[in-house]
Structure formats: C-alpha cells, structure tokens
Amino acid sequence: MRTRNAMTPSLCETCTWVREVVTPKGARFLLCQLSKTDPAYPKYPPQHVVRCEGYQKKDKTEQR
C-alpha cells in the first residue's frame, strides 16, 4: 500500500536543483530551481523524470 506522499522514483529526488514543496493538505511537489534562470526547465516537471540535461547528483553532505 502506498502512503499519501509516496511518488514514483525520479531523478529529481537526487538532484541538487530540486526543492520539495509540501502543501498544507500534504500534496508534494518537486520544484526545479533551474526554472528560475532557464525557461527550458519546467518549474514543476511532470514526474517521474528519467532523463534531464540539467541533472546534477546531490552531494551526500548537501542538505536543502
């Protein structure tokens, strides 16, 4: 059984450019911060992302 916040695994989950946004009702969205400077990247990419030119793996010590 899936929990309410469960999502299909996506590159976004491990990307340095992602910021997780959770609404007061518990909906979860992944904001691509590359969208702030490059219109080629959607603000909230449809999930699940399996390939992305802007992907950069998040450093294990990095916390957002």
Side-chain angles (χ1 to χ4, degrees):
M1 178 179 214
R2 295 180 119 190
T3 62
R4 184 198 291 198
N5 292 335
M7 292 180 76
T8 303
S10 172
L11 276 181
C12 297
E13 297 278 350
T14 60
C15 183
T16 193
W17 297 110
V18 74
R19 190 178 110 217
E20 182 180 46
V21 177
V22 180
T23 69
K25 290 186 177 184
R28 180 176 177 253
F29 300 95
L30 299 177
L31 169 65
C32 178
Q33 296 186 82
L34 281 176
S35 66
K36 293 178 182 178
T37 57
D38 189 338
Y41 295 94
K43 190 172 183 178
Y44 294 101
Q47 296 299 312
H48 77 276
V49 174
V50 294
R51 193 174 109 175
C52 177
E53 294 293 321
Y55 176 77
Q56 290 182 359
K57 187 172 174 97
K58 191 182 297 185
D59 185 357
K60 290 183 187 235
T61 60
E62 184 178 352
Q63 294 182 347
R64 291 197 177 234

PDB file of all heavy atoms in Angstrom, residues 16-48:
ATOM      1  N   THR A  16      20.557  18.136  -7.227  1.00  0.00           N
ATOM      2  CA  THR A  16      20.935  19.293  -6.423  1.00  0.00           C
ATOM      3  C   THR A  16      20.008  20.486  -6.642  1.00  0.00           C
ATOM      4  O   THR A  16      19.891  21.359  -5.786  1.00  0.00           O
ATOM      5  CB  THR A  16      22.408  19.669  -6.697  1.00  0.00           C
ATOM      6  OG1 THR A  16      22.837  20.588  -5.713  1.00  0.00           O
ATOM      7  CG2 THR A  16      22.583  20.274  -8.068  1.00  0.00           C
ATOM      8  N   TRP A  17      19.317  20.534  -7.782  1.00  0.00           N
ATOM      9  CA  TRP A  17      18.465  21.671  -8.124  1.00  0.00           C
ATOM     10  C   TRP A  17      17.039  21.566  -7.590  1.00  0.00           C
ATOM     11  O   TRP A  17      16.257  22.498  -7.734  1.00  0.00           O
ATOM     12  CB  TRP A  17      18.410  21.841  -9.646  1.00  0.00           C
ATOM     13  CG  TRP A  17      19.734  22.156 -10.233  1.00  0.00           C
ATOM     14  CD1 TRP A  17      20.496  21.339 -11.015  1.00  0.00           C
ATOM     15  CD2 TRP A  17      20.477  23.365 -10.095  1.00  0.00           C
ATOM     16  NE1 TRP A  17      21.664  21.962 -11.370  1.00  0.00           N
ATOM     17  CE2 TRP A  17      21.674  23.212 -10.814  1.00  0.00           C
ATOM     18  CE3 TRP A  17      20.244  24.565  -9.429  1.00  0.00           C
ATOM     19  CZ2 TRP A  17      22.633  24.216 -10.875  1.00  0.00           C
ATOM     20  CZ3 TRP A  17      21.208  25.559  -9.495  1.00  0.00           C
ATOM     21  CH2 TRP A  17      22.380  25.375 -10.212  1.00  0.00           C
ATOM     22  N   VAL A  18      16.685  20.459  -6.973  1.00  0.00           N
ATOM     23  CA  VAL A  18      15.303  20.256  -6.537  1.00  0.00           C
ATOM     24  C   VAL A  18      15.042  20.909  -5.174  1.00  0.00           C
ATOM     25  O   VAL A  18      15.924  20.999  -4.322  1.00  0.00           O
ATOM     26  CB  VAL A  18      14.942  18.754  -6.469  1.00  0.00           C
ATOM     27  CG1 VAL A  18      15.566  18.069  -5.274  1.00  0.00           C
ATOM     28  CG2 VAL A  18      13.441  18.573  -6.460  1.00  0.00           C
ATOM     29  N   ARG A  19      13.822  21.402  -5.027  1.00  0.00           N
ATOM     30  CA  ARG A  19      13.329  21.850  -3.726  1.00  0.00           C
ATOM     31  C   ARG A  19      11.954  21.232  -3.543  1.00  0.00           C
ATOM     32  O   ARG A  19      11.088  21.377  -4.397  1.00  0.00           O
ATOM     33  CB  ARG A  19      13.229  23.365  -3.659  1.00  0.00           C
ATOM     34  CG  ARG A  19      12.940  23.824  -2.222  1.00  0.00           C
ATOM     35  CD  ARG A  19      12.878  25.320  -2.103  1.00  0.00           C
ATOM     36  NE  ARG A  19      11.464  25.632  -1.852  1.00  0.00           N
ATOM     37  CZ  ARG A  19      10.817  26.659  -2.313  1.00  0.00           C
ATOM     38  NH1 ARG A  19      11.401  27.529  -3.085  1.00  0.00           N
ATOM     39  NH2 ARG A  19       9.555  26.838  -2.033  1.00  0.00           N
ATOM     40  N   GLU A  20      11.776  20.525  -2.458  1.00  0.00           N
ATOM     41  CA  GLU A  20      10.494  19.879  -2.176  1.00  0.00           C
ATOM     42  C   GLU A  20       9.525  20.910  -1.607  1.00  0.00           C
ATOM     43  O   GLU A  20       9.869  21.670  -0.706  1.00  0.00           O
ATOM     44  CB  GLU A  20      10.687  18.743  -1.179  1.00  0.00           C
ATOM     45  CG  GLU A  20       9.413  18.011  -0.875  1.00  0.00           C
ATOM     46  CD  GLU A  20       9.616  16.884   0.113  1.00  0.00           C
ATOM     47  OE1 GLU A  20      10.299  17.107   1.131  1.00  0.00           O
ATOM     48  OE2 GLU A  20       9.098  15.796  -0.127  1.00  0.00           O
ATOM     49  N   VAL A  21       8.316  20.919  -2.152  1.00  0.00           N
ATOM     50  CA  VAL A  21       7.257  21.807  -1.684  1.00  0.00           C
ATOM     51  C   VAL A  21       6.101  20.926  -1.226  1.00  0.00           C
ATOM     52  O   VAL A  21       5.609  20.104  -2.001  1.00  0.00           O
ATOM     53  CB  VAL A  21       6.788  22.755  -2.820  1.00  0.00           C
ATOM     54  CG1 VAL A  21       5.643  23.622  -2.350  1.00  0.00           C
ATOM     55  CG2 VAL A  21       7.942  23.592  -3.340  1.00  0.00           C
ATOM     56  N   VAL A  22       5.696  21.091   0.029  1.00  0.00           N
ATOM     57  CA  VAL A  22       4.571  20.322   0.570  1.00  0.00           C
ATOM     58  C   VAL A  22       3.487  21.316   0.976  1.00  0.00           C
ATOM     59  O   VAL A  22       3.744  22.259   1.718  1.00  0.00           O
ATOM     60  CB  VAL A  22       5.002  19.465   1.783  1.00  0.00           C
ATOM     61  CG1 VAL A  22       3.821  18.683   2.335  1.00  0.00           C
ATOM     62  CG2 VAL A  22       6.137  18.526   1.406  1.00  0.00           C
ATOM     63  N   THR A  23       2.296  21.104   0.448  1.00  0.00           N
ATOM     64  CA  THR A  23       1.180  21.996   0.746  1.00  0.00           C
ATOM     65  C   THR A  23       0.599  21.666   2.120  1.00  0.00           C
ATOM     66  O   THR A  23       0.850  20.575   2.659  1.00  0.00           O
ATOM     67  CB  THR A  23       0.067  21.859  -0.313  1.00  0.00           C
ATOM     68  OG1 THR A  23      -0.546  20.568  -0.181  1.00  0.00           O
ATOM     69  CG2 THR A  23       0.598  22.071  -1.720  1.00  0.00           C
ATOM     70  N   PRO A  24      -0.183  22.569   2.685  1.00  0.00           N
ATOM     71  CA  PRO A  24      -0.813  22.294   3.986  1.00  0.00           C
ATOM     72  C   PRO A  24      -1.690  21.031   3.986  1.00  0.00           C
ATOM     73  O   PRO A  24      -1.859  20.397   5.014  1.00  0.00           O
ATOM     74  CB  PRO A  24      -1.668  23.541   4.246  1.00  0.00           C
ATOM     75  CG  PRO A  24      -0.964  24.628   3.491  1.00  0.00           C
ATOM     76  CD  PRO A  24      -0.414  23.954   2.252  1.00  0.00           C
ATOM     77  N   LYS A  25      -2.216  20.658   2.812  1.00  0.00           N
ATOM     78  CA  LYS A  25      -3.041  19.448   2.726  1.00  0.00           C
ATOM     79  C   LYS A  25      -2.207  18.185   2.514  1.00  0.00           C
ATOM     80  O   LYS A  25      -2.742  17.096   2.397  1.00  0.00           O
ATOM     81  CB  LYS A  25      -4.059  19.579   1.596  1.00  0.00           C
ATOM     82  CG  LYS A  25      -5.135  20.589   1.906  1.00  0.00           C
ATOM     83  CD  LYS A  25      -6.196  20.589   0.837  1.00  0.00           C
ATOM     84  CE  LYS A  25      -7.309  21.541   1.190  1.00  0.00           C
ATOM     85  NZ  LYS A  25      -8.402  21.477   0.213  1.00  0.00           N
ATOM     86  N   GLY A  26      -0.875  18.334   2.399  1.00  0.00           N
ATOM     87  CA  GLY A  26       0.003  17.177   2.271  1.00  0.00           C
ATOM     88  C   GLY A  26       0.399  16.821   0.853  1.00  0.00           C
ATOM     89  O   GLY A  26       1.117  15.849   0.643  1.00  0.00           O
ATOM     90  N   ALA A  27      -0.040  17.594  -0.147  1.00  0.00           N
ATOM     91  CA  ALA A  27       0.394  17.327  -1.525  1.00  0.00           C
ATOM     92  C   ALA A  27       1.876  17.689  -1.637  1.00  0.00           C
ATOM     93  O   ALA A  27       2.341  18.664  -1.034  1.00  0.00           O
ATOM     94  CB  ALA A  27      -0.425  18.151  -2.512  1.00  0.00           C
ATOM     95  N   ARG A  28       2.608  16.905  -2.381  1.00  0.00           N
ATOM     96  CA  ARG A  28       4.058  17.078  -2.502  1.00  0.00           C
ATOM     97  C   ARG A  28       4.418  17.358  -3.954  1.00  0.00           C
ATOM     98  O   ARG A  28       4.000  16.643  -4.850  1.00  0.00           O
ATOM     99  CB  ARG A  28       4.742  15.800  -2.033  1.00  0.00           C
ATOM    100  CG  ARG A  28       6.231  15.832  -2.111  1.00  0.00           C
ATOM    101  CD  ARG A  28       6.782  14.530  -1.506  1.00  0.00           C
ATOM    102  NE  ARG A  28       8.205  14.473  -1.606  1.00  0.00           N
ATOM    103  CZ  ARG A  28       8.870  13.689  -2.439  1.00  0.00           C
ATOM    104  NH1 ARG A  28       8.215  12.866  -3.244  1.00  0.00           N
ATOM    105  NH2 ARG A  28      10.178  13.701  -2.482  1.00  0.00           N
ATOM    106  N   PHE A  29       5.216  18.415  -4.152  1.00  0.00           N
ATOM    107  CA  PHE A  29       5.675  18.792  -5.486  1.00  0.00           C
ATOM    108  C   PHE A  29       7.178  18.984  -5.460  1.00  0.00           C
ATOM    109  O   PHE A  29       7.748  19.362  -4.437  1.00  0.00           O
ATOM    110  CB  PHE A  29       5.006  20.106  -5.929  1.00  0.00           C
ATOM    111  CG  PHE A  29       3.516  20.021  -5.983  1.00  0.00           C
ATOM    112  CD1 PHE A  29       2.746  20.422  -4.907  1.00  0.00           C
ATOM    113  CD2 PHE A  29       2.877  19.525  -7.106  1.00  0.00           C
ATOM    114  CE1 PHE A  29       1.361  20.345  -4.950  1.00  0.00           C
ATOM    115  CE2 PHE A  29       1.497  19.432  -7.163  1.00  0.00           C
ATOM    116  CZ  PHE A  29       0.741  19.849  -6.078  1.00  0.00           C
ATOM    117  N   LEU A  30       7.823  18.720  -6.599  1.00  0.00           N
ATOM    118  CA  LEU A  30       9.261  18.910  -6.712  1.00  0.00           C
ATOM    119  C   LEU A  30       9.524  20.095  -7.623  1.00  0.00           C
ATOM    120  O   LEU A  30       9.248  20.050  -8.819  1.00  0.00           O
ATOM    121  CB  LEU A  30       9.925  17.636  -7.255  1.00  0.00           C
ATOM    122  CG  LEU A  30       9.721  16.398  -6.367  1.00  0.00           C
ATOM    123  CD1 LEU A  30      10.358  15.172  -7.016  1.00  0.00           C
ATOM    124  CD2 LEU A  30      10.276  16.619  -4.971  1.00  0.00           C
ATOM    125  N   LEU A  31      10.045  21.167  -7.039  1.00  0.00           N
ATOM    126  CA  LEU A  31      10.330  22.407  -7.748  1.00  0.00           C
ATOM    127  C   LEU A  31      11.731  22.349  -8.325  1.00  0.00           C
ATOM    128  O   LEU A  31      12.699  22.127  -7.597  1.00  0.00           O
ATOM    129  CB  LEU A  31      10.212  23.591  -6.785  1.00  0.00           C
ATOM    130  CG  LEU A  31      10.721  24.939  -7.273  1.00  0.00           C
ATOM    131  CD1 LEU A  31       9.893  25.439  -8.447  1.00  0.00           C
ATOM    132  CD2 LEU A  31      10.709  25.946  -6.146  1.00  0.00           C
ATOM    133  N   CYS A  32      11.844  22.550  -9.634  1.00  0.00           N
ATOM    134  CA  CYS A  32      13.154  22.595 -10.287  1.00  0.00           C
ATOM    135  C   CYS A  32      13.652  24.037 -10.234  1.00  0.00           C
ATOM    136  O   CYS A  32      13.094  24.925 -10.869  1.00  0.00           O
ATOM    137  CB  CYS A  32      13.063  22.134 -11.738  1.00  0.00           C
ATOM    138  SG  CYS A  32      14.656  22.247 -12.593  1.00  0.00           S
ATOM    139  N   GLN A  33      14.698  24.269  -9.469  1.00  0.00           N
ATOM    140  CA  GLN A  33      15.217  25.621  -9.304  1.00  0.00           C
ATOM    141  C   GLN A  33      15.960  26.124 -10.542  1.00  0.00           C
ATOM    142  O   GLN A  33      16.217  27.322 -10.654  1.00  0.00           O
ATOM    143  CB  GLN A  33      16.074  25.707  -8.053  1.00  0.00           C
ATOM    144  CG  GLN A  33      15.209  25.451  -6.810  1.00  0.00           C
ATOM    145  CD  GLN A  33      15.945  25.648  -5.535  1.00  0.00           C
ATOM    146  OE1 GLN A  33      16.081  26.775  -5.091  1.00  0.00           O
ATOM    147  NE2 GLN A  33      16.427  24.551  -4.962  1.00  0.00           N
ATOM    148  N   LEU A  34      16.269  25.239 -11.485  1.00  0.00           N
ATOM    149  CA  LEU A  34      16.845  25.683 -12.759  1.00  0.00           C
ATOM    150  C   LEU A  34      15.833  26.521 -13.535  1.00  0.00           C
ATOM    151  O   LEU A  34      16.198  27.352 -14.357  1.00  0.00           O
ATOM    152  CB  LEU A  34      17.277  24.482 -13.611  1.00  0.00           C
ATOM    153  CG  LEU A  34      18.596  23.827 -13.250  1.00  0.00           C
ATOM    154  CD1 LEU A  34      18.821  22.591 -14.129  1.00  0.00           C
ATOM    155  CD2 LEU A  34      19.747  24.790 -13.395  1.00  0.00           C
ATOM    156  N   SER A  35      14.554  26.322 -13.256  1.00  0.00           N
ATOM    157  CA  SER A  35      13.495  27.050 -13.958  1.00  0.00           C
ATOM    158  C   SER A  35      13.561  28.553 -13.677  1.00  0.00           C
ATOM    159  O   SER A  35      13.032  29.349 -14.449  1.00  0.00           O
ATOM    160  CB  SER A  35      12.123  26.514 -13.574  1.00  0.00           C
ATOM    161  OG  SER A  35      11.848  26.773 -12.205  1.00  0.00           O
ATOM    162  N   LYS A  36      14.217  28.947 -12.599  1.00  0.00           N
ATOM    163  CA  LYS A  36      14.342  30.367 -12.259  1.00  0.00           C
ATOM    164  C   LYS A  36      15.225  31.124 -13.249  1.00  0.00           C
ATOM    165  O   LYS A  36      15.032  32.315 -13.457  1.00  0.00           O
ATOM    166  CB  LYS A  36      14.916  30.531 -10.855  1.00  0.00           C
ATOM    167  CG  LYS A  36      13.998  30.042  -9.765  1.00  0.00           C
ATOM    168  CD  LYS A  36      14.657  30.194  -8.413  1.00  0.00           C
ATOM    169  CE  LYS A  36      13.764  29.670  -7.304  1.00  0.00           C
ATOM    170  NZ  LYS A  36      14.410  29.778  -5.994  1.00  0.00           N
ATOM    171  N   THR A  37      16.208  30.418 -13.831  1.00  0.00           N
ATOM    172  CA  THR A  37      17.159  31.077 -14.730  1.00  0.00           C
ATOM    173  C   THR A  37      17.117  30.567 -16.158  1.00  0.00           C
ATOM    174  O   THR A  37      17.701  31.186 -17.039  1.00  0.00           O
ATOM    175  CB  THR A  37      18.597  30.911 -14.192  1.00  0.00           C
ATOM    176  OG1 THR A  37      18.875  29.515 -14.055  1.00  0.00           O
ATOM    177  CG2 THR A  37      18.765  31.604 -12.853  1.00  0.00           C
ATOM    178  N   ASP A  38      16.453  29.426 -16.382  1.00  0.00           N
ATOM    179  CA  ASP A  38      16.413  28.837 -17.719  1.00  0.00           C
ATOM    180  C   ASP A  38      14.993  28.358 -18.033  1.00  0.00           C
ATOM    181  O   ASP A  38      14.516  27.387 -17.444  1.00  0.00           O
ATOM    182  CB  ASP A  38      17.389  27.673 -17.807  1.00  0.00           C
ATOM    183  CG  ASP A  38      17.578  27.142 -19.209  1.00  0.00           C
ATOM    184  OD1 ASP A  38      16.691  27.359 -20.068  1.00  0.00           O
ATOM    185  OD2 ASP A  38      18.605  26.504 -19.456  1.00  0.00           O
ATOM    186  N   PRO A  39      14.321  29.036 -18.979  1.00  0.00           N
ATOM    187  CA  PRO A  39      12.934  28.663 -19.295  1.00  0.00           C
ATOM    188  C   PRO A  39      12.784  27.276 -19.926  1.00  0.00           C
ATOM    189  O   PRO A  39      11.666  26.776 -20.043  1.00  0.00           O
ATOM    190  CB  PRO A  39      12.479  29.756 -20.258  1.00  0.00           C
ATOM    191  CG  PRO A  39      13.724  30.344 -20.805  1.00  0.00           C
ATOM    192  CD  PRO A  39      14.787  30.166 -19.760  1.00  0.00           C
ATOM    193  N   ALA A  40      13.879  26.642 -20.298  1.00  0.00           N
ATOM    194  CA  ALA A  40      13.810  25.295 -20.875  1.00  0.00           C
ATOM    195  C   ALA A  40      13.415  24.254 -19.816  1.00  0.00           C
ATOM    196  O   ALA A  40      12.995  23.159 -20.159  1.00  0.00           O
ATOM    197  CB  ALA A  40      15.149  24.912 -21.496  1.00  0.00           C
ATOM    198  N   TYR A  41      13.539  24.612 -18.551  1.00  0.00           N
ATOM    199  CA  TYR A  41      13.212  23.689 -17.467  1.00  0.00           C
ATOM    200  C   TYR A  41      11.877  24.078 -16.846  1.00  0.00           C
ATOM    201  O   TYR A  41      11.703  25.210 -16.411  1.00  0.00           O
ATOM    202  CB  TYR A  41      14.315  23.690 -16.395  1.00  0.00           C
ATOM    203  CG  TYR A  41      15.611  23.159 -16.940  1.00  0.00           C
ATOM    204  CD1 TYR A  41      16.576  24.022 -17.439  1.00  0.00           C
ATOM    205  CD2 TYR A  41      15.857  21.800 -16.995  1.00  0.00           C
ATOM    206  CE1 TYR A  41      17.758  23.540 -17.972  1.00  0.00           C
ATOM    207  CE2 TYR A  41      17.039  21.303 -17.521  1.00  0.00           C
ATOM    208  CZ  TYR A  41      17.978  22.180 -18.008  1.00  0.00           C
ATOM    209  OH  TYR A  41      19.141  21.696 -18.537  1.00  0.00           O
ATOM    210  N   PRO A  42      10.929  23.136 -16.799  1.00  0.00           N
ATOM    211  CA  PRO A  42       9.632  23.456 -16.191  1.00  0.00           C
ATOM    212  C   PRO A  42       9.770  23.649 -14.684  1.00  0.00           C
ATOM    213  O   PRO A  42      10.597  22.999 -14.035  1.00  0.00           O
ATOM    214  CB  PRO A  42       8.771  22.231 -16.510  1.00  0.00           C
ATOM    215  CG  PRO A  42       9.734  21.136 -16.774  1.00  0.00           C
ATOM    216  CD  PRO A  42      11.001  21.765 -17.280  1.00  0.00           C
ATOM    217  N   LYS A  43       8.968  24.536 -14.141  1.00  0.00           N
ATOM    218  CA  LYS A  43       9.016  24.824 -12.709  1.00  0.00           C
ATOM    219  C   LYS A  43       8.718  23.557 -11.894  1.00  0.00           C
ATOM    220  O   LYS A  43       9.421  23.250 -10.936  1.00  0.00           O
ATOM    221  CB  LYS A  43       8.009  25.926 -12.383  1.00  0.00           C
ATOM    222  CG  LYS A  43       8.124  26.463 -10.989  1.00  0.00           C
ATOM    223  CD  LYS A  43       7.235  27.687 -10.813  1.00  0.00           C
ATOM    224  CE  LYS A  43       7.407  28.274  -9.433  1.00  0.00           C
ATOM    225  NZ  LYS A  43       6.598  29.472  -9.260  1.00  0.00           N
ATOM    226  N   TYR A  44       7.661  22.865 -12.265  1.00  0.00           N
ATOM    227  CA  TYR A  44       7.289  21.613 -11.603  1.00  0.00           C
ATOM    228  C   TYR A  44       7.230  20.525 -12.678  1.00  0.00           C
ATOM    229  O   TYR A  44       6.181  20.296 -13.275  1.00  0.00           O
ATOM    230  CB  TYR A  44       5.938  21.744 -10.898  1.00  0.00           C
ATOM    231  CG  TYR A  44       5.976  22.723  -9.753  1.00  0.00           C
ATOM    232  CD1 TYR A  44       5.471  24.007  -9.890  1.00  0.00           C
ATOM    233  CD2 TYR A  44       6.538  22.352  -8.537  1.00  0.00           C
ATOM    234  CE1 TYR A  44       5.520  24.903  -8.843  1.00  0.00           C
ATOM    235  CE2 TYR A  44       6.587  23.251  -7.478  1.00  0.00           C
ATOM    236  CZ  TYR A  44       6.084  24.513  -7.643  1.00  0.00           C
ATOM    237  OH  TYR A  44       6.130  25.408  -6.591  1.00  0.00           O
ATOM    238  N   PRO A  45       8.364  19.851 -12.939  1.00  0.00           N
ATOM    239  CA  PRO A  45       8.384  18.852 -14.015  1.00  0.00           C
ATOM    240  C   PRO A  45       7.431  17.693 -13.734  1.00  0.00           C
ATOM    241  O   PRO A  45       7.316  17.248 -12.593  1.00  0.00           O
ATOM    242  CB  PRO A  45       9.834  18.353 -14.034  1.00  0.00           C
ATOM    243  CG  PRO A  45      10.538  19.008 -12.918  1.00  0.00           C
ATOM    244  CD  PRO A  45       9.625  19.969 -12.243  1.00  0.00           C
ATOM    245  N   PRO A  46       6.733  17.223 -14.766  1.00  0.00           N
ATOM    246  CA  PRO A  46       5.880  16.043 -14.585  1.00  0.00           C
ATOM    247  C   PRO A  46       6.753  14.873 -14.109  1.00  0.00           C
ATOM    248  O   PRO A  46       7.841  14.650 -14.629  1.00  0.00           O
ATOM    249  CB  PRO A  46       5.324  15.767 -15.983  1.00  0.00           C
ATOM    250  CG  PRO A  46       5.569  17.007 -16.765  1.00  0.00           C
ATOM    251  CD  PRO A  46       6.742  17.698 -16.136  1.00  0.00           C
ATOM    252  N   GLN A  47       6.282  14.174 -13.126  1.00  0.00           N
ATOM    253  CA  GLN A  47       7.061  13.067 -12.560  1.00  0.00           C
ATOM    254  C   GLN A  47       6.588  11.742 -13.149  1.00  0.00           C
ATOM    255  O   GLN A  47       5.438  11.612 -13.502  1.00  0.00           O
ATOM    256  CB  GLN A  47       6.902  13.066 -11.031  1.00  0.00           C
ATOM    257  CG  GLN A  47       7.462  14.309 -10.367  1.00  0.00           C
ATOM    258  CD  GLN A  47       8.940  14.505 -10.582  1.00  0.00           C
ATOM    259  OE1 GLN A  47       9.733  13.581 -10.404  1.00  0.00           O
ATOM    260  NE2 GLN A  47       9.327  15.695 -10.993  1.00  0.00           N
ATOM    261  N   HIS A  48       7.404  10.849 -13.352  1.00  0.00           N
ATOM    262  CA  HIS A  48       8.754  10.677 -12.902  1.00  0.00           C
ATOM    263  C   HIS A  48       9.726  10.997 -14.030  1.00  0.00           C
ATOM    264  O   HIS A  48       9.517  10.593 -15.157  1.00  0.00           O
ATOM    265  CB  HIS A  48       8.962   9.308 -12.278  1.00  0.00           C
ATOM    266  CG  HIS A  48       9.101   8.145 -13.224  1.00  0.00           C
ATOM    267  ND1 HIS A  48       8.038   7.475 -13.776  1.00  0.00           N
ATOM    268  CD2 HIS A  48      10.205   7.565 -13.750  1.00  0.00           C
ATOM    269  CE1 HIS A  48       8.490   6.512 -14.573  1.00  0.00           C
ATOM    270  NE2 HIS A  48       9.790   6.543 -14.558  1.00  0.00           N
TER     271      HIS A  48
END
